[in-house]
Amino acid sequence: MNVFRLVADMCHLLAIVILLSKIWKTRSCSGISARTQILFAIVFVTRYLDLFTSYVSAYNTIMKIFFITSSIATVYLMLFKFRGTYEKESDQFRVYLLVVPAAVLALFINNGFTVMEILWTFSIYLEAIAIMPQLFMLQSTGCAETITAHYLFALGMYRAFYLVNWIFRYYTESYFDPIATVAGVVQTVLYADFFYLYFTRVVRANKAMELPI
């Protein structure tokens, strides 16, 4: 494992910790898209089914278990424990517009036509666009709490560092996975505008981020 992947994983962990901490401490899931969190839960469940069939390392196993359980826990907190604080009226993105294309692409563009490989590929495609309901929700409400902005920034950095990881592996190991790399580029691009707003309106002003409508 290289340093870029390790930093990416730590950013991902940080994002999840920030999100769960925000929900639990404030007893509220306002400003958070349940649809994005459901998509992330689908991503991790479909990607890490090999948890029961193959072993890579203790680190790999622990991370897989954490991502699956934390994503399911987040959905539970939003839709059950703190359901009354969920802003459903602002979270209306039609997720089938993301799930169906990701599933179709996985069937036709993959590294091997097996159930596990197709599910892995589906998870890669879906993760690249799973943040869209959250970004759509922020656009609908017009602003984001600082803690929500921190969560999204850490999530974006996770994907950006993973992209650097693929580039590093290409030059040091001659390893290149076009599916993961292209999906990573798409996901990073989706965060690009948010990164700019984050630095100009949250870091400098240290206040809730207002978004242009």
Side-chain angles (χ1 to χ4, degrees):
M1 179 190 301
N2 62 67
V3 66
F4 300 111
R5 179 180 173 182
L6 180 60
V7 172
D9 285 346
M10 293 305 103
C11 286
H12 200 178
L13 285 174
L14 177 62
I16 294 173
V17 169
I18 289 174
L19 178 64
L20 289 174
S21 177
K22 174 256 193 288
I23 294 175
W24 191 258
K25 288 183 178 180
T26 64
R27 320 297 285 184
S28 170
C29 54
S30 63
I32 304 298
S33 168
R35 299 191 178 202
T36 279
Q37 298 308 316
I38 291 172
L39 292 179
F40 279 141
I42 294 173
V43 165
F44 297 131
V45 169
T46 54
R47 180 176 302 171
Y48 298 139
L49 285 176
D50 65 348
L51 182 66
F52 304 101
T53 60
S54 62
Y55 176 82
V56 177
S57 66
Y59 173 85
N60 184 270
T61 299
I62 291 171
M63 294 293 278
K64 288 178 179 179
I65 293 173
F66 175 80
F67 289 135
I68 291 174
T69 56
S70 62
S71 62
I72 293 175
T74 302
V75 172
Y76 167 76
L77 291 176
M78 294 193 67
L79 298 185
F80 294 96
K81 190 170 183 63
F82 302 123
R83 184 176 181 178
T85 65
Y86 168 44
E87 299 173 336
K88 185 177 180 179
E89 65 284 353
S90 300
D91 191 19
Q92 297 296 320
F93 193 95
R94 298 175 182 177
V95 294
Y96 68 84
L97 295 176
L98 306 177
V99 175
V100 173
V104 172
L105 276 175
L107 285 172
F108 289 96
I109 305 176
N110 52 65
N111 293 324
F113 201 76
T114 65
V115 173
M116 296 297 287
E117 189 64 33
I118 290 173
L119 288 175
W120 179 87
T121 305
F122 167 72
S123 76
I124 293 295
Y125 291 147
L126 186 59
E127 186 185 18
I129 51 180
I131 198 63
M132 289 183 68
Q134 180 66 68
L135 298 178
F136 179 80
M137 186 177 184
L138 293 183
Q139 195 70 25
S140 297
T141 58
C143 66
E145 297 177 12
T146 299
I147 194 68
T148 304
H150 291 335
Y151 158 70
L152 290 172
F153 178 76
L155 205 57
M157 291 304 295
Y158 141 68
R159 181 43 60 184
F161 272 107
Y162 244 99
L163 188 58
V164 176
N165 161 65
W166 294 125
I167 297 173
F168 179 81
R169 292 190 65 184
Y170 174 76
Y171 284 105
T172 60
E173 305 172 24
S174 297
Y175 177 85
F176 177 68
D177 187 327
I179 291 176
T181 303
V182 172
V185 170
V186 170
Q187 190 171 1
T188 305
V189 168
L190 287 176
Y191 283 94
D193 186 53
F194 176 84
F195 285 161
Y196 171 76
L197 292 173
Y198 179 85
F199 279 110
T200 58
R201 304 194 184 188
V202 175
V203 175
R204 294 181 183 178
N206 193 28
K207 62 181 181 180
M209 183 176 70
E210 296 180 358
L211 301 176
I213 303 300

